[in-house]
Amino acid sequence: MTGEPDDPRFEWVQVATIGGPEEWIRGRCHHLTPLPVRAYPTGELVARLCPDCDAQLPVPVEPVWMPTA
């Protein structure tokens, strides 16, 4: 393969091989398409799952609205 692979989901790392050409290996995942993980039966969002690398990701924290006095 010549040049970095055209797959934005991952960082790509070029490595040398003994007696052969350099090649690209998949590095860190960018988690571009996380899927929601919901609790049953409440439907509460409890996590996110990256289908590309199977990593469990935290749920984004939403700010809590506080009334002013």
Side-chain angles (χ1 to χ4, degrees):
M1 180 182 295
T2 61
E4 185 173 349
D6 187 26
D7 187 347
R9 297 175 300 169
F10 303 100
E11 288 183 1
W12 292 93
V13 180
Q14 192 172 19
V15 296
T17 57
I18 298 174
E22 292 186 338
E23 61 183 48
W24 292 90
I25 60 171
R26 188 170 66 186
R28 185 176 71 90
C29 182
H30 290 270
H31 312 304
L32 296 179
T33 57
L35 302 173
V37 178
R38 299 197 176 274
Y40 178 80
T42 64
E44 176 186 3
L45 182 63
V46 294
R48 297 177 301 146
L49 179 67
C50 179
D52 299 319
C53 69
D54 292 330
Q56 181 176 328
L57 307 169
V59 176
V61 178
E62 297 181 15
V64 177
W65 180 78
M66 297 293 289
T68 57

